[in-house]
Amino acid sequence: MEQIRKSIVATGPSEFQNPDIVQARQKRFKQFTEALNRYPQVNEPEVQAARNAYFALQKALKAEFKRASDQRQQLGDVQARMRKLQQNFDQYPVPEPMTPPFSAQEVKDWVKQASEARTVGEHNLKELNAIAPLAYLPNNPGVPQSGAPFDADDLKRMQRNAVHWQESVQKNYHSTADTTNNLLQQKLNEIKGRWQEDPTGDKKWVFLKEDQVEQAAALFAETKALAQSSLYLAQALQQDQSLATQALAAINQAEKTYQSKAEMALNASRLPEPATEDDDLTELAEEILEKPRYQFGSYGPIVLTTDKIIERESKSSEIDIDDVDIASNGDVKLSGTETTWTYRWQEFKFATPLKDPDGRWYIWWITAKKYSSGSSITPIGEWVAGTSTKGNPILPDNF
């Protein structure tokens, strides 16, 4: 009895919260009671010692029963509480960092989700810290997801999760803000280094060619979206907005400067100086431009960029494989027919403004060709359009 009394731990969570342990203690105490009742010789020293140990054990058991009862009363249904806390974790996860660009609504939704996750972390940690010193949660090999009761290890894990929830919200916010602002700064630096060319010089095409204009528009739009994302994030979290607002002002100014240079470049766009003013070549160029199959449409002045007709020649071959033979040693032998064509043609080059469907005029650089020999599909004996390249736009007043 003395050994059992001394084994009772009267601090921390009481094991007497476990009904199985209580039942075992009650059974053992009943055995002591029955044993002691078989010795009515109360004056015998051994019996007196046993009775003293018995009553000391009884007192210790009652005290521990009372302590366990008080803890249970404070705790309520601890397993139900912990299930609810786990549900909180499952229902309100920490949102992953956002990838810019993002809209104001996306930021609003993210901040709401992050705020809920932070609240869950704070609430769960407070609850778990209140449970930890009171709840008797013996470790078991099962996991709650499989129906096993929560144990002390689960409680510690959930305490770590609650701290992690709060830290992750802050970490993911900083990750989103840093990623957005770093990308924004990179794009701002790119804009600052672009379009330094003289818009009236030979490189005016960087302000005029369609692909260049599209690249500029895309860069401005992308950078604006990043700056706006940074602003949305700062506004939603009541952070410093100066970087975003200054970036937007810088982007808008850079775009205005680019548009001003593009206008200067367009006003400076001219047809090339003619290499010759040969009427016959000009007439041949007109015939090509007016052929319906090319659909060149409206055209402006024709400028010859080569001073004469040039003779050219090239060869081309094609092999038709008739048979493939694989030898026993793995060698592959191919057999077939090789056809070679000799292309001979005359050519000259010219430039002319062509009107786009959108109403703008562009300088086109066209190679005129007349073949005297070629393949079975080569147009022989007529002047045709070869390579045709779309160049800078040009104003009709500058023709």
Side-chain angles (χ1 to χ4, degrees):
M1 287 185 287
E2 182 72 13
Q3 184 179 1
I4 292 176
R5 183 181 66 79
K6 289 182 177 180
S7 70
I8 295 173
V9 180
T11 58
S14 175
E15 66 176 3
F16 282 27
Q17 294 176 33
N18 188 323
D20 293 336
I21 292 177
V22 171
Q23 186 177 5
R25 295 292 191 183
Q26 288 173 335
K27 180 180 179 181
R28 188 65 175 136
F29 187 73
K30 182 180 179 182
Q31 291 172 346
F32 290 139
T33 302
E34 292 172 350
L36 193 59
N37 286 339
R38 291 197 293 270
Y39 297 92
Q41 303 91 338
V42 295
N43 295 324
E44 291 289 335
E46 292 84 354
V47 175
Q48 287 181 355
R51 287 173 66 83
N52 290 338
Y54 174 84
F55 289 122
L57 175 59
Q58 184 182 53
K59 181 180 179 180
L61 289 172
K62 285 183 178 180
E64 193 59 20
F65 288 148
K66 173 69 166 57
R67 197 171 74 88
S69 177
D70 291 343
Q71 288 180 339
R72 284 198 304 271
Q73 188 173 358
Q74 282 185 261
L75 289 167
D77 187 341
V78 69
Q79 291 294 324
R81 287 176 70 181
M82 294 186 70
R83 280 195 298 272
K84 177 59 179 174
L85 296 177
Q86 184 59 56
Q87 288 172 5
N88 290 344
F89 284 130
D90 296 338
Q91 187 174 353
Y92 299 101
V94 177
E96 293 295 322
M98 289 186 290
T99 301
F102 34 77
S103 66
Q105 185 60 48
E106 286 172 326
V107 172
K108 182 179 178 181
D109 293 342
W110 189 91
V111 170
K112 179 177 182 294
Q113 189 177 353
S115 177
E116 291 171 343
R118 182 193 291 277
T119 299
V120 163
E122 293 170 349
H123 168 76
N124 280 12
L125 185 59
K126 182 179 178 181
E127 283 285 290
L128 291 163
N129 287 345
I131 291 171
L134 298 175
Y136 179 70
L137 300 169
N139 289 327
N140 63 78
V143 293
Q145 292 85 343
S146 301
F150 289 89
D151 60 21
D153 285 344
D154 293 319
L155 187 142
K156 291 176 183 177
R157 170 183 56 80
M158 293 170 71
Q159 285 177 311
R160 292 193 298 270
N161 281 354
V163 173
H164 175 70
W165 244 239
Q166 297 174 68
E167 292 175 345
S168 293
V169 167
Q170 193 68 12
K171 177 183 175 182
N172 289 359
Y173 157 68
H174 284 299
S175 175
T176 299
D178 291 346
T179 299
T180 303
N181 292 335
N182 288 341
L183 286 173
L184 174 58
Q185 192 59 58
Q186 289 175 17
K187 293 299 178 182
L188 285 172
N189 291 340
E190 184 177 352
I191 286 175
K192 289 177 182 177
R194 294 282 298 273
W195 308 302
Q196 302 301 312
E197 295 82 1
D198 178 3
T200 63
D202 292 340
K203 292 189 176 181
K204 64 173 69 68
W205 56 268
V206 300
F207 303 100
L208 296 176
K209 287 192 69 176
E210 282 187 324
D211 61 336
Q212 297 295 314
V213 173
E214 289 171 0
Q215 288 177 24
L219 180 56
F220 285 125
E222 184 179 358
T223 311
K224 281 184 182 179
L226 288 170
Q228 198 65 61
S229 296
S230 179
L231 182 61
Y232 291 147
L233 194 61
Q235 289 173 338
L237 295 170
Q238 299 181 345
Q239 301 290 324
D240 182 14
Q241 303 171 23
S242 58
L243 173 63
T245 53
Q246 290 170 12
L248 280 171
I251 297 163
N252 290 332
Q253 182 57 50
E255 189 170 26
K256 287 180 181 178
T257 301
Y258 173 84
Q259 290 170 348
S260 175
K261 288 185 175 182
E263 185 175 353
M264 293 172 62
L266 181 60
N267 288 328
S269 181
R270 296 289 190 277
L271 288 164
E273 290 295 324
T276 180
E277 295 183 356
D278 187 290
D279 290 339
D280 292 335
L281 293 183
T282 301
E283 186 176 344
L284 291 174
E286 288 178 351
E287 290 178 8
I288 292 172
L289 291 171
E290 292 175 2
K291 287 187 176 181
R293 67 171 179 262
Y294 295 129
Q295 298 182 345
F296 282 126
S298 301
Y299 61 91
I302 296 171
V303 177
L304 299 170
T305 56
T306 50
D307 60 359
K308 61 182 178 180
I309 293 176
I310 301 170
E311 301 284 343
R312 295 196 181 279
E313 180 177 320
S314 70
K315 293 183 182 292
S316 175
S317 298
E318 180 180 292
I319 299 176
D320 291 325
I321 304 301
D322 299 326
D323 187 43
V324 178
D325 183 28
I326 302 177
S328 58
N329 62 0
D331 291 344
V332 178
K333 181 179 180 181
L334 305 178
S335 60
T337 304
E338 179 179 10
T339 303
T340 299
W341 291 280
T342 299
Y343 294 88
R344 295 187 181 89
W345 72 94
Q346 297 176 319
E347 72 172 37
F348 68 92
K349 298 179 180 181
F350 64 94
T352 186
L354 296 179
K355 192 174 185 179
D356 251 25
D358 65 3
R360 301 185 73 190
W361 290 83
Y362 289 84
I363 300 172
W364 280 74
W365 306 82
I366 300 171
T367 299
K369 294 184 176 184
K370 182 181 179 182
Y371 288 91
S372 58
S373 68
S375 70
S376 59
I377 60 172
T378 302
I380 305 296
E382 64 170 319
W383 284 98
V384 297
T387 303
S388 301
T389 304
K390 189 177 186 179
N392 294 337
I394 185 172
L395 296 173
D397 289 345
N398 293 342
F399 287 179

